[in-house]
């Protein structure tokens, strides 16, 4: 199920040119072949990756997931978030559809980095929520940037997107950066005892469109 959205007008903001399209190759994966395009940020040398299924050149309504790196979940198997599940489901979706893009951005911990993310986890173990912990460390709630994602999509010649997300800020960020969002595709995952408070906090503090229980579906249907 998806939320239909009207195409958004392109803003007048000048496209950024921070990224170098550095390298690309087709990589066989367990889901099928994915064209892997590496972009290098000229400002800091950080490398971001686009995983592409099918030919998205000049296409409207391309399914796109903007995904920020989460080493703790995706590599170490941490249960404190649902990042790995969201990544896996997005990759499943675009490969099953035969068309789509997953943008993998090197923005660990909503932009604060791995070391500070672990510091935030230590504060959370003392009772702070994810946003309170970041603020105690001197960071804003979210330091991620979406100009990077927009520039990657322009390089791939994606004309408009069906955004796979629960985060309204990503939709707003894409529109602000000149990428029309035609509709939202919910990113549904399973919660567990270790990430339930985290997911609730994201929903209550920053308006993430997260459905945690069956009654959430009923509430959304009644509201719609």
């Amino acid at each position: 199920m998806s939320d239909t959205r009207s195409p958004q007008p392109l803003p007048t903001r000048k496209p950024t040119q921070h990224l170098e399209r550095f390298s690309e190759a087709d990589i066989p994966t367990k889901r099928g072949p994915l064209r892997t395009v590496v972009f290098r940020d000229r400002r800091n040398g950080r490398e971001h990756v686009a995983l592409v299924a099918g030919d998205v050149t000049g296409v409207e309504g391309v399914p796109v997931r903007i995904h920020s790196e989460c080493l703790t979940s995706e590599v170490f198997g941490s249960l404190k978030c649902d990042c790995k599940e969201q990544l896996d489901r997005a990759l499943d979706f675009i490969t099953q559809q035969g068309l789509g893009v997953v943008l993998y951005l090197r923005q660990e911990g909503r932009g604060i980095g791995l070391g500070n993310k672990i510091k935030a986890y230590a504060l959370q173990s003392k009772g702070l929520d994810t946003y309170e912990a970041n603020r105690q460390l001197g960071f804003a709630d979210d330091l991620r940037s979406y100009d990077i994602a927009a520039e990657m999509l322009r390089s791939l010649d994606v004309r408009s997107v069906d955004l796979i997300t629960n985060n309204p800020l990503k939709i707003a960020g894409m529109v602000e950066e000149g990428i029309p969002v035609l509709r939202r595709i919910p990113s549904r995952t399973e919660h567990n005892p270790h990430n339930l408070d985290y997911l609730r906090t994201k929903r209550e503090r920053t308006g993430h469109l997260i459905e945690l229980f069956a009654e959430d579906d009923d509430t959304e249907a009644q509201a719609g």
Side-chain angles (χ1 to χ4, degrees), residues 124-191:
Q124 290 170 37
S125 69
K126 298 177 181 178
L128 276 64
D129 69 32
T130 179
Y131 298 109
E132 292 167 344
N134 278 21
R135 291 170 191 165
Q136 184 157 319
L137 292 172
F139 298 108
D141 288 350
D142 196 331
L143 298 178
R144 290 175 294 181
S145 172
Y146 299 114
D147 60 334
I148 296 170
E151 191 170 343
M152 293 168 76
L153 291 172
R154 280 192 288 269
S155 178
L156 296 171
D157 195 21
V158 171
R159 299 300 174 85
S160 61
V161 303
D162 291 347
L163 202 59
I164 306 170
T165 188
N166 298 325
N167 187 352
L169 294 179
K170 287 185 180 178
I171 297 171
M174 283 294 91
V175 174
E176 184 180 358
E177 293 293 338
I179 304 296
V181 179
L182 301 189
R183 65 176 182 142
R184 181 181 77 89
I185 301 174
S187 180
R188 293 191 173 97
T189 60
E190 300 293 330
H191 60 272

Side-chain angles (χ1 to χ4, degrees), residues 1-146:
M1 182 183 296
S2 59
D3 297 339
T4 302
R5 291 179 177 269
S6 300
Q8 302 294 325
L10 293 176
T12 57
R13 173 175 291 198
K14 184 178 180 180
T16 53
Q17 295 182 339
H18 299 314
L19 300 182
E20 171 192 5
R21 189 160 170 167
F22 186 73
S23 59
E24 58 188 278
D26 291 332
I27 294 181
T29 77
K30 65 181 182 181
R31 297 177 174 88
L34 288 169
R35 183 158 57 100
T36 303
V37 185
V38 177
F39 294 85
R40 180 170 288 176
D41 193 327
R42 295 187 177 95
R43 297 167 293 183
N44 52 30
R46 193 171 294 167
E47 293 179 335
H48 307 280
V49 182
L51 300 167
V52 184
D55 185 358
V56 299
T57 305
V59 177
E60 302 278 359
V62 176
V64 170
R65 165 79 183 163
I66 302 170
H67 187 89
S68 295
E69 176 184 33
C70 181
L71 183 74
T72 51
S73 169
E74 295 155 4
V75 177
F76 302 149
S78 168
L79 298 176
K80 285 182 65 64
C81 63
D82 62 342
C83 298
K84 177 174 171 53
E85 285 187 75
Q86 290 198 73
L87 177 61
D88 286 344
R89 292 198 177 194
L91 288 170
D92 288 343
F93 185 84
I94 68 168
T95 51
Q96 289 165 6
Q97 296 292 313
L99 184 77
V101 180
V102 171
L103 302 179
Y104 192 84
L105 307 184
R106 309 302 296 276
Q107 300 184 138
E108 182 83 38
R110 295 199 298 273
I112 68 175
L114 179 61
N116 286 317
K117 176 181 176 179
I118 299 304
K119 285 184 178 180
Y121 281 177
L123 292 173
Q124 290 170 37
S125 69
K126 298 177 181 178
L128 276 64
D129 69 32
T130 179
Y131 298 109
E132 292 167 344
N134 278 21
R135 291 170 191 165
Q136 184 157 319
L137 292 172
F139 298 108
D141 288 350
D142 196 331
L143 298 178
R144 290 175 294 181
S145 172
Y146 299 114

